[in-house]
Amino acid sequence: MFRWAIGAVADVCGQALRAARVTVRDIEASVPHQANVRIIDAAVKAMGLSSSVEVARTVREDGNVSGASIPLALDALLAPGRVRPGALVLTAGFGSGLSYSAQVVVAP
């Protein structure tokens, strides 16, 4: 699951970036599914995200809360102002059913 998640997340994030007609350099924040910090860190590395990109890592505080992890993690970046309104945010989700998706959104 670990290796699959890293490859799947990196691949689907690349697809989302291309569909949004942006590059990894345009992304200001990344909000992946909060299943495992090792998966998050390895996927960030595989995607080549800059160290200046805010990456949500709330799994230690919130645990793996399944489908709620992305909106909760996004809020954890927005509430204290770690992500500015209008910033491009790359979100990615994956599950044990081997399903996955990603999208580029504009921060409110």
Side-chain angles (χ1 to χ4, degrees):
M1 185 69 177
F2 179 82
R3 284 183 296 225
W4 171 83
I6 295 164
V9 168
D11 181 54
V12 75
C13 284
Q15 291 175 39
L17 292 169
R18 286 188 296 279
R21 296 189 174 132
V22 298
T23 70
V24 71
R25 291 180 298 281
D26 299 313
I27 298 300
E28 294 184 39
S30 173
V31 183
H33 170 61
Q34 301 293 300
N36 178 303
V37 173
R38 287 184 15 187
I39 292 172
I40 294 168
D41 291 342
V44 164
K45 183 177 178 182
M47 288 184 289
L49 289 178
S50 165
S51 61
S52 66
V53 172
E54 284 286 346
V55 177
R57 292 180 180 89
T58 61
V59 67
R60 289 184 180 124
E61 294 81 28
D62 297 337
N64 180 353
V65 291
S66 191
S69 73
I70 292 173
L72 287 171
L74 179 58
D75 184 64
L77 294 181
L78 294 171
R82 290 173 53 194
V83 175
R84 67 174 182 82
L88 291 181
V89 179
L90 178 62
T91 69
F94 59 92
S96 61
L98 303 183
S99 59
Y100 52 96
S101 68
Q103 64 183 348
V104 176
V105 298
V106 177

